[in-house]
Amino acid sequence: MTIKDTLKKAPANIIKAALSLQNNVRECEEISRGQFSAFVDDGKESYDVGIQLDESGLQLNHYSCDCSDKNSLCAHVVAVLTFMNRGEKSAATSTTLKKLRKKKLSPTEELLDNVDNFQLRTWILEELNLNKELNLKFFNHFSSPTGKITAEEINNQGAACIQAVIGKKKYIEPVQLKALFEVWQKYLDTQMPAILNEIGNEQGMLMVDAIFGFYGLIDSKVKKSSSRIGTQFNKFVEKLSAYLQTCEAEKVFSFLQQFTLRLKQNGKGLNIVLNLIYKTAPVLTKEAHASLLKLYLNIVSKNDLTEPELMQLLLYVIQHDLLTELHSDLPYTLFYNEYNILFLNQLQLIGETDKVISLCEKSIKGNYHEVYSIPYYQILVNLYQQRSMPNEALIYRKKIFAYSPSYLLYQEIYNDLATNSQKESFRKELLGRGIRRDSADYAMVLDLKFGLWAETEDWGKILDKLVDYISLLKAEPYLKYLFLFDDALLLKKLLIEIHSSYSYRDNFDDVLEFLKRFITKYYTKDQVSQIDKRNFTSYSSRNIINMILNEYD
């Protein structure tokens, strides 16, 4: 009876049950001519199904399933038969399945299906003896794991794979990597169950180290860098970390601890350890986290860690609430300011304020230019304010002010000065500070001096410095007072002098919208119309007055 005939005669309830299992058939393989084995996942259980076809591959001789269904033809068998008989577009890896699905066989498949087994065996042996790469690939694919694999054997097999592909050459050509990894992967796939079974003891750790060593050896021998090496390496890391996530916490901790010490002993980089800790976080206890990271931090060289790597590590520590346990072990550098600031802020949250002050002073002392110390000054200002130490806070406020002046900060410092003479001296000093349009602190000094002049209503001085877009932004809080002081001069400034500056042209749309709102609120249409258009230097410049006049319509 054919598969189709069998399916037609299957009971309706069995067919219905099999339909729900169509996507649960896996590992359907032809283990010998016409003999198929497959697994069907049904709820929490997985059942082993066997199918035997005749020599032609068309007649169904026998079927079996290890489920408890008393029917001779169960839903699991029907699901597999349906899978085997599925449409022409379905994938088929064996000639038997292709026949069942009426897919056209290639000439090679037809020949292989009909060739005498003895002749085929003889030809294969001859080819294997001539081709070391093929020989090794064949052996790795069809050999069964011995269960006695060792790290030494893995090292030897890795060397054999390389030799089989490159022969007596010293280096690996990038084009040879594909063939090399195909041979290696065949071997690794057969041995992985035995390797993973040893995870948690020293032998398992040594075997994993040997596998990582193979990828390192490939990287050192390849003539030109290739992403293929990293891809293969990452695949193994993913497989290893996926297995570790299924293990008990003690087993994972034991492996990672042993592996870290092994890498230290051999002088190898520790990035892979940190990566594995991150990936196995769900199964590690808080104590295991802290212990493994402490071991890592006490071994790794601070110079080996970039700022992004340190930031990732710090964020991980924060996320897993490990800062209290690890703050003494985390590195502090003089030049990774983004990392340092986050670290210092987190130390404040756990009450380590003395350490924060010490580290800030360390950074300030080590900075080449004082401008880099401003974030640390600000931290110290906040800390000394919290400790009710205004004199110490004032010292660092003044340091910030020297490089980042503002009217608001001036007011804070001014109010904290003890005597009127100190306040008057401070104010006089600032009024004498020059304004240079080409300096880095131009906008900040404008903000400061406009505020000081506004205190004494020196509106003429502010108008005098109203020459570009930056000064317009800083003068915005005082424009209504400038209008009352000299509305004609202000309008001229807004429509002519500021517009002629380069910064205005860079921000034309923003400034135009601002001018429309301000001018139409404070000036009449007649006042704007009386502006002498000859002062405008280009058509676009002259056209601005017309755009503002249109706002009155």
Side-chain angles (χ1 to χ4, degrees), residues 330-341:
L330 284 165
Y332 186 84
T333 71
L334 291 180
F335 308 110
Y336 293 163
N337 287 320
E338 184 181 358
Y339 165 80
N340 287 347
I341 298 302

Side-chain angles (χ1 to χ4, degrees), residues 397-413:
R397 272 208 186 97
K398 286 184 175 180
K399 288 180 178 292
I400 295 171
F401 188 81
Y403 288 92
S404 183
S406 70
Y407 181 62
L408 179 62
L409 186 55
Y410 153 77
Q411 289 175 306
E412 292 178 3
I413 295 173

Side-chain angles (χ1 to χ4, degrees), residues 435 442 446 450 453 460-468 471-472 493:
I435 299 175
Y442 172 57
L446 280 176
F450 282 4
W453 288 331
K461 291 182 178 179
I462 297 178
L463 273 172
D464 182 55
K465 297 300 180 182
L466 194 57
V467 294
D468 55 17
S471 59
L472 176 63
K493 287 273 187 179

Side-chain angles (χ1 to χ4, degrees), residues 409-417 423-424 426-427:
L409 186 55
Y410 153 77
Q411 289 175 306
E412 292 178 3
I413 295 173
Y414 184 86
N415 292 332
D416 284 345
L417 292 174
K423 292 180 178 180
E424 186 58 33
F426 182 52
R427 178 182 171 82

Side-chain angles (χ1 to χ4, degrees), residues 2-4 7 22 25-30 36-38 53 56-58 78-105:
T2 65
I3 292 178
K4 284 188 177 181
L7 292 174
Q22 283 301 290
V25 178
R26 58 182 175 85
E27 299 179 42
C28 183
E29 297 178 352
E30 187 175 15
F36 288 83
S37 174
L53 304 179
S56 69
L58 301 176
V78 172
V80 174
L81 291 176
T82 305
F83 172 84
M84 293 172 62
N85 203 43
R86 198 174 290 168
E88 292 183 5
K89 294 183 179 179
S90 299
T93 57
S94 74
T95 56
T96 304
L97 284 181
K98 287 185 177 181
K99 286 179 180 179
L100 286 171
R101 299 173 184 179
K102 298 180 180 179
K103 299 186 80 173
K104 185 177 179 181
L105 300 180

